[in-house]
Amino acid sequence: MNVARNVTGALLGLTFFWIGIQHFINPKAFNEIVPSYLGTPAFWTYSSGVLEIALGLGIMIPATRPLSARCLVVLVVLMSLANLNMYLNDVPFNGTVLSTTAHIIRLIIQVVLITVLLWLGSIF
């Protein structure tokens, strides 16, 4: 079980780390999907990038994995506001407007991701 958690934590951690870095390399793509009611898109883009980098590293380390995974659950749920904004307002991501099918696939991926993070966070 620890091997599975270690491998999953490493793979997801690297993924979150990479996506967090993308917030700094291409902030425009992320700024555009921030819901307007939140204001100051750059703040949300850079803040979520920092959190994804830090928590991505955190889930790779067994001692910090449970807390980091639980924090990532909250972050993923909060970032769903951007995904909902993209769906409701046909906001393109990096120049691409997603189809309804693509939005459904993203939703399924998020549910699976949250489930895996709950497992990594030792919730179940």
Side-chain angles (χ1 to χ4, degrees), residues 74-95:
V74 174
L75 184 62
V76 168
V77 169
L78 291 174
M79 288 189 310
S80 295
L81 294 173
N83 296 333
L84 184 60
N85 183 49
M86 288 174 59
Y87 172 69
L88 294 176
N89 298 305
D90 282 329
V91 177
F93 180 74
N94 217 14

Side-chain angles (χ1 to χ4, degrees), residues 54-71:
L55 296 171
L57 292 171
I59 63 171
M60 289 192 268
I61 302 166
T64 58
R65 183 175 300 137
L67 179 59
S68 295
R70 292 171 189 188
C71 290

